[in-house]
Structure formats: structure tokens, C-alpha cells
Amino acid sequence: IASLAPALGNITQLMTRNLYALINVDVPWSYHLTVDYPSRHEIEFWCDNITKLERSRIFYSDVPCSISVHCDASAVAAAAVMKCGISSEEICLRNFTQSEKEKSSTWRELSILQYSLNSFSEKLAGKTVHYFTDNQSAVRIATAGSRLSELHDMAVDMFYTCRQWKIDLRVSWLQRAQNVEADFWSRQYDTDNW
């Protein structure tokens, strides 16, 4: 599966994370491993989809992005600013619950990536979309998954959303100083939002 990365893209990392964890268990050769549910799910995914997955673009520079989305999360809320061309702009805001406020900054950044992707999905359908965030860990997890199941599940959910809506998603890191508008909106906590 790993050898298919040039043809299929980051899905080869995203949907083999649990299998690699199972393979890397340090046990004697004679030991019989039990395949857990997440690993079984990945095996079933590959059996069902190996011939159905769309090919990845090896060189992205020749494919223009029609939409860009800048995301940021503060300690209390998160925002995504979607730009379609020069004049069209939409904003997606989300307040965090008390338990979400206590989660890591990476979780909060991934949550706005996931939330805004789901919120904007109809408008993003069939398009090449470039997401920007100032959290490098969120970029890595969105494209390759995570060892932490909660974060990994968020990345897998984003993959399925993109697949359902035929969204060609790219996620890149952006310096905080260049993410001013999303940063501003992420600090706007809406006390009337229940």
C-alpha cells in the first residue's frame, strides 16, 4: 500500500496508520496478533476501495486553487474564512464547549478544519480547495493522520467528506502574521450562541 503513495496520495498514510501500529508491536515471531477493529476497518477500506480511489496529482503547481480557506482557533472559539475570488467571502464561526476548551491547540485547529469543511461542503463540491492554518501539527495530521485516535478520526472524517463532495483538498501551514483575518474572527466569542 505504501508503494502506491505517488499514485494515490496521502490516503496511503491516513488509512494505514493502525496497521503500521499493529505491525510494529514488539512480540515474539511465534505470537499471534489479534487484529483490532481500527486495523480491520483499514483492511476492509483497501479491499473495497483500491480500484475506486482517484489518482493523486503528483505535481500540484499546474492546478490552480479556485477557493482558499484560512482557519484559526483560539482558546474559546474558532473561525474559517473562505474566499472565492477577490470579492466573495464567507465566515464560519464556532464556539468551543468547556470540555473542548481544555483540549489541545492542535485538536482545536483540526476541529475548525473539519467543521468548516463540513459547513462549506456544498460550496466546495467539485473544486480544488487550499486550506491554510498556522498550526503545523494540524497540517501534518490532516494529511497523514495521527497516533492519537481522536485526532486521527478527525482526519479520516475530513477524507470522507472530501470524497463524498469530490473536493480536492490541500492543507498548508501559514505564518500567524499572515493569518490575521481568521485570527481576528477566532477571538470573537458569541455569548448568544447556544
Side-chain angles (χ1 to χ4, degrees), residues 32-50:
H32 293 279
L33 286 175
T34 302
V35 178
D36 58 0
Y37 176 77
S39 298
R40 185 170 295 141
H41 175 72
E42 289 178 355
I43 292 168
E44 290 170 358
F45 171 84
W46 288 107
C47 288
D48 294 344
N49 294 290
I50 190 73

Side-chain angles (χ1 to χ4, degrees), residues 4-190:
L4 295 173
L8 298 178
N10 67 319
I11 190 61
T12 59
Q13 289 179 304
L14 191 62
M15 294 303 281
T16 56
R17 176 99 27 207
N18 292 298
L19 288 170
Y20 276 111
L22 188 64
I23 290 168
N24 289 327
V25 172
D26 188 20
V27 294
W29 281 98
S30 60
Y31 186 80
H32 293 279
L33 286 175
T34 302
V35 178
D36 58 0
Y37 176 77
S39 298
R40 185 170 295 141
H41 175 72
E42 289 178 355
I43 292 168
E44 290 170 358
F45 171 84
W46 288 107
C47 288
D48 294 344
N49 294 290
I50 190 73
T51 60
K52 299 175 191 171
L53 291 170
E54 293 196 27
R55 293 181 184 153
S56 174
R57 290 187 180 99
I58 295 174
F59 301 107
Y60 281 107
S61 60
D62 60 343
V63 182
C65 288
S66 53
I67 298 175
S68 68
V69 181
H70 291 242
C71 296
D72 197 26
S74 67
V76 295
V81 180
M82 179 176 69
K83 295 186 180 188
C84 309
I86 298 172
S87 60
S88 179
E89 178 177 287
E90 289 191 39
I91 299 169
C92 173
L93 299 173
R94 178 172 190 265
N95 289 339
F96 292 126
T97 64
Q98 188 57 43
S99 64
E100 291 171 336
K101 291 176 188 177
E102 296 167 4
K103 293 188 182 280
S104 70
S105 61
T106 300
W107 184 93
R108 292 192 305 266
E109 289 283 345
L110 274 174
S111 75
I112 191 60
L113 286 170
Q114 180 185 31
Y115 184 78
S116 64
L117 188 60
N118 287 318
S119 297
F120 295 144
S121 58
E122 288 185 39
K123 293 176 178 146
L124 303 177
K127 296 187 173 63
T128 300
V129 182
H130 204 154
Y131 264 73
F132 296 95
T133 178
D134 57 16
N135 184 302
Q136 292 182 7
S137 295
V139 172
R140 176 77 178 132
I141 293 168
T143 56
S146 172
R147 288 185 214 162
L148 300 174
S149 62
E150 185 176 26
L151 300 179
H152 186 75
D153 291 346
M154 293 167 86
V156 170
D157 179 69
M158 288 187 279
F159 164 76
Y160 281 118
T161 299
C162 289
R163 188 171 182 200
Q164 176 185 353
W165 294 96
K166 298 187 181 339
I167 299 168
D168 181 9
L169 179 66
R170 303 176 202 171
V171 183
S172 298
W173 176 76
L174 184 70
Q175 291 181 358
R176 182 164 300 177
Q178 296 175 317
N179 205 20
V180 176
E181 193 171 3
D183 180 62
F184 169 79
W185 285 108
S186 73
R187 298 178 191 286
Q188 307 308 306
Y189 185 73
D190 184 2

